[in-house]
Amino acid sequence: MVASRYPNHPQPLWNLPGGRQRAGELFGETLVREFREETGLEIERGPLLYVSESYDRATETHFLNVTFAVRSAGEPMAATDAHVVGFEWVRREDVPDRLVVAAVREPLAAYLRGEATRYFGFADAGITIEFADPS
């Protein structure tokens, strides 16, 4: 998991590695690039696990999370992404406790419990993320 700092949150927020898709980039390409930028790990993309979406009404921002299984060897080394302030391997049973955002925590916790749900929708994200960079 990675800890990311955002201007409107005093404490870093923990999440799975990931981020915003670039123009012309496919989800699988975004996944590989974001893992490299946030952890220094080279990964192999596995199957699609689930899709979740949420909406931040304060900023009128729609978030779409496409979550894949991944394989990698080695240890996280260094983040080149400026908002990442930490990363670490987290035991499965501890993952939900790290995630304060329900729109991220609930789908991942359901997957880790073995539930077969593949889509999660949250009409209200319950959080506003202010990005330091505009894109």
Side-chain angles (χ1 to χ4, degrees), residues 1-2 14-19 35 38 50 67-68 95 99 104 108:
M1 295 184 72
V2 296
W14 285 91
N15 204 342
L16 297 173
F35 253 88
E38 294 186 358
Y50 59 85
T67 306
F68 292 91
V95 167
L99 302 171
V104 175
L108 183 54

Side-chain angles (χ1 to χ4, degrees), residues 1-134:
M1 295 184 72
V2 296
S4 299
R5 183 168 301 283
Y6 300 99
N8 64 324
H9 291 277
Q11 299 297 318
L13 298 176
W14 285 91
N15 204 342
L16 297 173
R20 293 174 282 173
Q21 191 175 29
R22 293 179 179 162
E25 196 173 54
L26 300 176
F27 286 132
E29 295 167 332
T30 303
L31 177 72
V32 170
R33 177 182 53 77
E34 287 288 347
F35 253 88
R36 185 181 313 115
E37 290 175 0
E38 294 186 358
T39 68
L41 289 171
E42 294 298 328
I43 62 156
E44 178 183 315
R45 180 182 49 119
L48 174 67
L49 301 178
Y50 59 85
V51 173
S52 61
E53 64 180 327
S54 60
Y55 189 73
D56 176 7
R57 297 188 184 288
T59 61
E60 297 183 339
T61 303
H62 179 245
F63 292 94
L64 179 66
N65 298 306
V66 180
T67 306
F68 292 91
V70 299
R71 291 179 97 73
S72 182
E75 293 295 322
M77 300 177 291
T80 58
D81 194 317
H83 75 274
V84 174
V85 295
F87 44 77
E88 63 184 70
W89 296 110
V90 178
R91 295 180 323 155
R92 287 174 77 103
E93 59 268 19
D94 296 335
V95 167
D97 294 334
R98 292 284 180 107
L99 302 171
V100 299
V101 180
V104 175
R105 182 184 61 248
E106 298 309 316
L108 183 54
Y111 170 77
L112 292 174
R113 287 191 303 267
E115 295 177 17
T117 305
R118 296 292 180 242
Y119 169 78
F120 300 85
F122 297 84
D124 184 352
I127 190 169
T128 294
I129 300 294
E130 184 180 291
F131 295 98
D133 60 327

